[in-house]
Structures are given as C-alpha cells and as structure tokens.
Amino acid sequence: MTMPAPPGDQNPVDREPAAREAWGRQPPGPTASPWPVYPMPMPTPQPRNGMGVTALVLGIVGAVLGLFVVLFWMSWVPALLAVVFGCIGLSHARRGLATNRTMALVGVILGGAGLLISAACGLFAVVVVKEAADDVRAKADRVKASAAAEEEKKKAQEKARHLSFGQSYTFENGLKVTVAKPQPFTPDDFVLGHAKGNKAVEVTVTVVNTGTERLSVETGLPNVNDAKGASAELVIDGSGRQKVITGYVLPGKETVGKYAFSLPPDAADKVEVEFSPDAKRWPDAYWSGPN
C-alpha cells in the first residue's frame, strides 16, 4: 500500500534539519539568566579609631597627673604614650583608616603638655630638694661651727682659769680673786691636821668686788693639792692666824683669807690651789707653781 505524499510535495524528513537550525541558532554572547542579577555590595572597612581614643585618654591622664607636684614622676609615662599613639592615630586618619583625627590631635597636644608639665615639675622638685639640702647642710655647718666655737670658748675659759701664783681671775659675778704664792707656816704646839715631818704652808686668798652690788662668798675654803695631785690637809692651830672668808663683800672692797695646809716632804715642791666664790655656780679657778 502506498502512502500519499504530503501537500506541496514536501518531505518532513527534509524539513527537520531546517527546523532544528531555526530553533537551535542562538545569538552570540552570554547566556541570559532566568533570574535578575543584582550587583554585590562591597564590605565597608571599620575605622581604626582606637589609637586616637587611647591617645586622648592617656593625654588627659598625663596632664592631670602632671598638675600634682608629688605625682609628676608618674605623668611622663602616659604623656609619652599619648604622643606616640596620637601620632599613629593621625597617620591612620591621613590614610583614611580612621575618622577621629581631632581626637588623636588633642591626645598629642595633651601628651606634649603632660611632658612639659612633668619636666617643669621635675626641675622644680630638683631645685626645691637642692635648696632643702643646702639649707640642711648650712644648718649643720652652723651647728658644727657653733659647737666648735663653743668648744674653743670652753677651752679658752678653761685655760683662763689656770693661772700662776700672784695672778688674778675675775668670775662672772664680778669677784676678782688673787692667790699669792704659798709661804712657810709654823704651827704652834696645839695643832690639828699636821703630821710631824710634813711641811706646812700658808695660802693667802684676796677677793675684790669689782661690781656695783654687794656679793657673797659662799665657799671660803680653798682646796690645795700637792705635787702628786693629792689633797693637802687643812692645818688648824691655836695661833689665830688663819682667817676664813665668809659673808658679803661690798662694792669696791676686798676681803682676805689665810689658810694653812700640811704637805708631805716628798710632794711639797709644787702646790696647786683651787678656789671659787660659789662652787655651785662658778667652776674653780686654779693657781699653781713651785712652792
């Protein structure tokens, strides 16, 4: 059985390649997406403001600490760090990495001010300490000089109180005392304080009142030491030649005391006499020399 030919004497088999060609052709270029394409947003970098904030905080701390004189030695550390961090913050701001340029700049300024304050306070402290040390040293030198002068004065006074027989010494109350060279003394038969074989001497003490008021002699007895430094014994006899100074001495007047002492023969070549008109107030003066 023969199939009838399609109209127009066209062969469907012959049209298939043409149809495929018509439907299969595509324009050059990227393949169209069935979904709409939107541009992807780029992430915005976060500003690096930490250095500026740190510089500001440290600058405030350094400046405040520098205002306290006792804390100036602590202020230079935060102040220096404020300058360093502030400079880094300014560098970030210039490169667009930070947005707090003003804060970093203020931190640098405060840090610099803190350094200046710290340096000024340090200089002030050095000056104050130096002046205090100089003052202490000057006071110590004055005290030392005063002590040395006092010691020299005591030595001079001590030297002035050591005299030879016949010289005079004036005590601070105005009594001038003179001790004459001891003279031989012969006790009578009724004698106390004189051993047989000893040498008896008589000591004469003259006291003159050089002041304007009457003055008392509280201790009228001298002390006599022999050549060996031993105290000689006071001689008392019945001759009545000894006289003890007692009572008051009127202005411009004098009183004379006479005392006898017994010296051992081996220590009688030199005598020292100690005397003070008031032993509680004035130290003794000393008269010495060969007997």
Side-chain angles (χ1 to χ4, degrees):
M1 181 175 182
T2 304
M3 293 297 292
D9 197 17
Q10 294 179 356
N11 188 351
V13 179
D14 296 335
R15 292 198 303 267
E16 182 176 353
R20 276 203 308 268
E21 183 179 354
W23 288 99
R25 289 181 182 176
Q26 297 182 358
T31 305
S33 174
W35 306 101
V37 179
Y38 299 97
M40 295 295 292
M42 298 296 293
T44 304
Q46 294 294 326
R48 299 166 63 177
N49 294 335
M51 290 296 177
V53 175
T54 304
L56 179 61
V57 174
L58 291 175
I60 295 174
V61 173
V64 172
L65 289 178
L67 297 177
F68 297 93
V69 178
V70 295
L71 298 177
F72 75 92
W73 55 274
M74 299 174 56
S75 64
W76 71 272
V77 176
L80 179 61
L81 293 177
V83 173
V84 174
F85 291 150
C87 291
I88 297 175
L90 290 175
S91 177
H92 288 173
R94 283 194 299 268
R95 291 184 293 169
L97 301 178
T99 59
N100 58 346
R101 180 181 181 280
T102 301
M103 187 177 295
L105 180 60
V106 173
V108 172
I109 295 174
L110 290 177
L115 289 176
L116 293 177
I117 295 174
S118 177
C121 291
L123 181 61
F124 175 76
V126 170
V127 172
V128 170
V129 171
K130 184 178 182 301
E131 290 182 353
D134 292 342
D135 186 54
V136 171
R137 189 179 299 107
K139 288 182 179 179
D141 292 341
R142 287 195 297 269
V143 171
K144 186 176 180 180
S146 177
E150 187 68 21
E151 186 67 22
E152 290 295 328
K153 181 180 178 181
K154 288 182 179 180
K155 290 181 179 180
Q157 291 176 346
E158 182 69 20
K159 184 178 180 180
R161 291 201 306 271
H162 288 75
L163 307 102
S164 299
F165 289 123
Q167 292 181 328
S168 300
Y169 179 80
T170 302
F171 290 84
E172 294 185 26
N173 60 353
L175 291 178
K176 184 173 72 172
V177 179
T178 305
V179 177
K181 182 180 179 180
Q183 299 298 319
F185 179 82
T186 303
D188 61 11
D189 295 335
F190 302 96
V191 61
L192 296 174
H194 180 65
K196 186 178 180 178
N198 283 6
K199 181 180 180 180
V201 296
E202 184 181 64
V203 176
T204 302
V205 179
T206 303
V207 178
V208 179
N209 185 353
T210 61
T212 58
E213 297 179 357
R214 69 174 188 171
L215 299 171
S216 64
V217 178
E218 300 294 337
T219 53
L221 284 176
N223 183 45
V224 176
N225 301 319
D226 59 25
K228 294 182 179 181
S231 295
E233 190 170 358
L234 180 67
V235 175
I236 300 176
D237 67 356
S239 65
R241 288 172 291 177
Q242 290 86 1
K243 180 184 178 182
V244 178
I245 299 175
T246 58
Y248 290 93
V249 182
L250 297 178
K253 301 299 182 180
E254 71 175 26
T255 182
V256 179
K258 293 181 178 293
Y259 313 88
F261 292 89
S262 179
L263 303 172
D266 59 345
D269 57 333
K270 184 177 181 180
V271 177
E272 181 183 66
V273 179
E274 304 176 19
F275 184 83
S276 173
D278 189 346
K280 294 181 179 179
R281 297 178 60 189
W282 320 114
D284 288 336
Y286 303 86
W287 288 262
S288 62
N291 182 24

